[in-house]
Amino acid sequence: MSVGETPDARLLQALLLPGAGLKQQLSQSLLLWLLDIDAERVQLDVAQISAFWQRLPYWAFAWAGGRLLAQYILDHPELVRGKRVLDFGCGSGLVGIAAAKAGARQVWVADLDDNALLAAAHNAGLNQVELMAVDAQAGWPPVDVLLASDVLYDISSSADLRQLMLQIPDWLLAENPQVAPDWVTLRPLYQAVCSTLPAIGDFDDAVTLTVYGRT
């Protein structure tokens, strides 16, 4: 995919927020199309606010857990170098892009939102790497390392994540310790305070997150 100077029109429409746009921003030295809001131009009524928060474009944020995991991978490239990896719940594709930059042989991305897969593809182009989208009908591809972050807020993802964590040889998970899964034994690797980009409302608060590995 060629690197575009302007964001994809389909992603702009999917923001569902009048006056909002997408802007290229750096996160962990990687370039992403992220939500851009001009507070002076964005005037919402009650219905618009409700619609936005019910269909939040998660792919338009660099979430705290993803930022922490991406940086950890870039700092420890040996964890993914030469391996096939899966970025589960990829959102913007930040973690998968970091893995590709760190030398992963193949990087698969999966997300329930087709717009996230589109955003991840565009962001991969910005960083001159390749991501491959998982075909839900074809099933999960064989991989060596599972990468996941900021996914356990949604209980609907738990079943798939549990299955993958049990069957994939190795994995890295970045989450708030309060929602860390109990179906596997977790090995804490790193802990730090991180925040989400862009900072709007409740999402700008810094949180303490842990990167876990398989024991």
Side-chain angles (χ1 to χ4, degrees), residues 70 73-74 80-81 85 94-105 107 147:
I73 290 170
L74 292 171
V80 298
R81 185 184 295 125
V85 306
L94 171 59
V95 173
I97 292 168
K101 285 288 189 180
R105 177 158 59 96
V107 181
L147 308 173

Side-chain angles (χ1 to χ4, degrees), residues 4-5 7 15 20-38 59-62 67 92 94 97 123 126-127 196-200:
E5 294 296 327
L15 290 175
L22 293 169
K23 180 174 68 174
Q24 292 183 18
Q25 302 179 52
L26 281 172
S27 177
Q28 280 50 59
S29 73
L30 302 174
L31 201 56
L32 305 172
W33 286 109
L34 298 180
L35 184 67
D36 181 32
I37 297 179
D38 184 340
W59 48 266
F61 294 83
R67 294 183 66 202
S92 67
L94 171 59
I97 292 168
N123 290 332
L126 289 179
N127 294 277
T196 294
L197 293 177
I200 62 169

Side-chain angles (χ1 to χ4, degrees), residues 10-118:
R10 291 166 292 179
L11 295 178
L12 289 174
Q13 293 174 356
L15 290 175
L16 300 175
L17 187 60
L22 293 169
K23 180 174 68 174
Q24 292 183 18
Q25 302 179 52
L26 281 172
S27 177
Q28 280 50 59
S29 73
L30 302 174
L31 201 56
L32 305 172
W33 286 109
L34 298 180
L35 184 67
D36 181 32
I37 297 179
D38 184 340
E40 296 182 356
R41 291 191 299 116
V42 177
Q43 301 294 327
L44 303 180
D45 58 29
V46 173
Q48 290 171 322
I49 293 173
S50 176
F52 178 67
W53 289 111
Q54 288 179 12
R55 300 178 63 184
L56 187 69
Y58 292 99
W59 48 266
F61 294 83
W63 294 93
R67 294 183 66 202
L68 183 65
L69 183 53
Q71 189 61 58
Y72 189 78
I73 290 170
L74 292 171
D75 291 341
H76 302 276
E78 69 279 1
L79 297 174
V80 298
R81 185 184 295 125
K83 298 180 181 180
R84 303 165 299 174
V85 306
L86 167 63
D87 181 1
F88 176 82
C90 66
S92 67
L94 171 59
V95 173
I97 292 168
K101 285 288 189 180
R105 177 158 59 96
Q106 290 182 338
V107 181
W108 294 87
V109 292
D111 201 287
L112 293 174
D113 187 347
D114 288 340
N115 288 318
L117 300 177
L118 179 60

